[in-house]
Amino acid sequence: MSKTFSLIRREFKSKVFTRMFVISTLLGPLVILGFYYLPVYFQQNPLGDTLVIQYVDESGLWWERLGDLFRDSDAKSPQHIFSAVESSVYQERQASFRESLQNGDVD
């Protein structure tokens, strides 16, 4: 009986105390919370300002898709504006993009 428990304990420790198990145990709930609160953050815009979100599209596949997917139905005062930036343009003007982010021009 004691050999069985020592075998169970050894197997448990070898599986549970691996690096990936510990990392996934800690980061898993954070990722789930991120998926929950990120849409809530985008839906709440207390100032009524337009939220400009720019993303770097290296593949070129998301250029129009994200803009169409997240387009507001109220065209008079949209809450979100998604705009893609090509990778080459981002590489050329990386400093100006950082400045516009720090100034609050882009969210």
Side-chain angles (χ1 to χ4, degrees), residues 29-91:
L30 293 176
V31 169
I32 291 171
L33 287 174
F35 280 124
Y36 177 75
Y37 283 112
L38 195 60
V40 172
Y41 170 74
F42 285 135
Q43 290 297 322
Q44 292 178 349
N45 196 357
L47 300 176
D49 297 335
T50 302
L51 187 64
V52 179
I53 301 170
Q54 291 183 332
Y55 57 94
V56 178
D57 187 16
E58 294 181 356
S59 66
L61 298 174
W62 298 101
W63 187 267
E64 295 177 3
R65 291 182 185 179
L66 280 179
D68 293 339
L69 185 62
F70 293 106
R71 188 173 318 246
D72 286 336
S73 60
D74 186 14
K76 294 177 184 173
S77 60
Q79 290 182 340
H80 309 99
I81 296 176
F82 283 86
S83 64
V85 177
E86 291 185 29
S87 179
S88 60
V89 174
Y90 178 74
Q91 295 295 333

Side-chain angles (χ1 to χ4, degrees), residues 10-18 21:
R10 185 181 66 82
E11 288 296 321
F12 181 77
K13 283 183 179 181
S14 69
K15 299 296 180 192
V16 171
F17 293 117
T18 61
F21 182 82

